[in-house]
Amino acid sequence: MEQFILAGGTIIIGVFGCIAYFFLSNMVLDSIFPPRGPDAGSNITRANAIRPWLFLFPALLLLTVYLVYPVFMSVYLSFMDRTGDRFVGFANYSWLFRDDKFQESLVNNLLWLVFVPAAATFFGLIAAAVTDRIRWGNFAKAMIFMPMAISFVGASVIWKFVYDYRGDGQAEIGALNAIWVSLGGTAQTWLTLAPWNSFFLMVVLVWIQAGFAMVILSAALRGIPEETIEAAILDGASPLQIFMKIKVPQIWGTILVVWTTITITVLKVFDIVLTMTNGQWGTQVLANLMFDWMFRGNDTGRASTAAIIIMLMVTPIMIWNIRNARKEMR
């Protein structure tokens, strides 16, 4: 009950605080540059130039405190020792590029980058095309999109049951082992089988992100002018030809935006690896490596260095993605 009151109070203070800020700041601005008198014209021009920045100030302040400041602090700490007290130059970067776990993380992240965006976008596109053509398509879309409502940790717990291994004469309850045994195989500890275990983890993210890809691509497919489809049908094009040569080229920009959005998610993947293998058996990734050094190794220098590497990998893709999204909006 106490938490409920605290949360409700915080919401009320936040909402009315915003209203009060915008009302009072607008009033102060009008008092400094009154829209009346001999200088009314120039005052209105000045006030209109300042007002957007005045209204944006709270958001810019929060972005600076919670986004910009941590970036500069991470860069600073990446040049310091484990306690953040002594300057060590590029020692952390030198260590990172010689570290076996970093190289393993880099290879695994590249595998994730190749497999997950491609598979999630492909399955999302197929699901979008198929569900738009069947009667119970909306129900199928809801089922495919449902994993998006599950946290990465929750999805990982679900899939741990799929890959579960009991051994020692115990009954196997894992779905994958049940299928494997029914086909004549012996039960396996799937999550320890390198390098396949990394792909087993990737399947979890594909399962989650396919719903996101399907929703975006379905909207794009519905935006294709009917005239072009009808013209292709009159010309005798088959459904496959219409899909591959008419629909896909017209939504190619959206496919790239979906692809890069999932790519950014993949570069930050952490929860799934931590929950399912904790980076063991050759499944380590950069975000989990950063977590290990920050909270287990208590080394802020090396953890910050790993964070900077992740940021450098994500930033170009994010910029490219934003530019493409803007083009799509035009």
Side-chain angles (χ1 to χ4, degrees):
M1 188 63 184
E2 185 181 345
Q3 289 182 340
F4 178 77
I5 294 172
L6 185 64
T10 304
I11 292 171
I12 291 170
I13 290 171
V15 170
F16 284 98
C18 288
I19 294 172
Y21 170 78
F22 290 125
F23 177 76
L24 292 174
S25 61
N26 200 43
M27 193 169 70
V28 170
L29 187 65
D30 285 340
S31 68
I32 296 172
F33 300 106
R36 65 187 71 85
D39 299 325
S42 60
N43 283 347
I44 290 172
T45 304
R46 289 172 186 165
N48 287 341
I50 295 172
R51 189 169 283 110
W53 293 104
L54 199 63
F55 289 173
L56 282 172
F57 175 72
L60 292 175
L61 179 66
L62 290 174
L63 278 175
T64 304
V65 172
Y66 290 106
L67 196 63
V68 179
Y69 172 72
V71 169
F72 283 105
M73 274 305 294
S74 297
V75 172
Y76 168 74
L77 288 172
S78 69
F79 293 105
M80 306 299 284
D81 68 350
R82 61 185 304 123
T83 60
D85 296 329
R86 188 170 60 86
F87 181 73
V88 295
F90 286 92
N92 288 326
Y93 290 92
S94 174
W95 159 81
L96 191 69
F97 287 103
R98 286 185 284 103
D99 184 61
D100 291 339
K101 274 294 179 185
F102 172 73
Q103 291 169 11
E104 176 190 312
S105 305
L106 209 55
V107 171
N108 283 334
N109 269 87
L110 288 174
L111 286 175
W112 280 76
L113 280 176
V114 171
F115 181 77
V116 176
T121 307
F122 174 75
F123 287 121
L125 180 61
I126 298 299
V130 172
T131 52
D132 281 341
R133 296 169 62 90
I134 56 178
R135 192 174 56 180
W136 45 277
N138 288 335
F139 175 76
K141 280 183 182 175
M143 292 296 103
I144 296 170
F145 187 74
M146 196 172 287
M148 278 292 291
I150 303 173
S151 69
F152 283 5
V153 173
S156 303
V157 172
I158 292 169
W159 279 86
K160 278 196 86 170
F161 284 112
V162 174
Y163 300 137
D164 190 72
Y165 170 79
R166 295 301 169 97
D168 297 332
Q170 298 181 65
E172 296 293 341
I173 63 168
L176 187 57
N177 266 328
I179 296 169
W180 186 247
V181 170
S182 71
L183 294 173
T186 55
Q188 300 288 327
T189 50
W190 300 105
L191 294 179
T192 66
L193 297 178
W196 304 110
N197 47 4
S198 288
F199 289 95
F200 293 140
L201 302 188
M202 294 175 204
V203 168
V204 181
L205 193 54
V206 172
W207 180 64
I208 295 171
Q209 292 295 320
F212 161 75
M214 177 198 67
V215 170
I216 304 297
L217 295 173
S218 177
L221 286 171
R222 286 171 184 254
I224 296 174
E226 286 294 328
E227 293 80 5
T228 57
I229 307 295
E230 290 169 0
I233 293 171
L234 289 174
D235 287 342
S238 66
L240 183 62
Q241 288 175 320
I242 293 172
F243 180 72
M244 295 300 296
K245 296 184 178 179
I246 304 293
K247 292 184 176 180
V248 170
Q250 292 199 52
I251 63 167
W252 189 245
T254 309
I255 292 173
L256 289 179
V257 169
V258 169
W259 186 299
T260 50
T261 303
I262 298 173
T263 299
I264 293 167
T265 305
V266 168
L267 280 171
K268 298 182 292 183
V269 68
F270 161 71
D271 321 52
I272 294 171
V273 175
L274 178 72
T275 308
M276 298 188 75
T277 63
N278 197 19
Q280 300 179 86
W281 308 299
T283 60
Q284 187 65 289
V285 291
L286 287 173
N288 198 57
L289 182 72
M290 177 192 70
F291 178 86
D292 278 347
W293 280 109
M294 187 70 201
F295 297 103
R296 295 185 179 127
N298 293 320
D299 192 325
T300 54
R302 292 182 174 182
S304 299
T305 307
I308 294 301
I309 296 297
I310 296 171
M311 187 185 73
L312 291 176
M313 293 173 70
V314 169
T315 303
I317 302 171
M318 192 175 290
I319 292 171
W320 188 84
N321 194 25
I322 291 170
R323 294 183 65 175
N324 272 282
R326 284 181 175 174
K327 285 181 186 175
E328 287 294 308
M329 289 172 70
R330 290 171 191 165

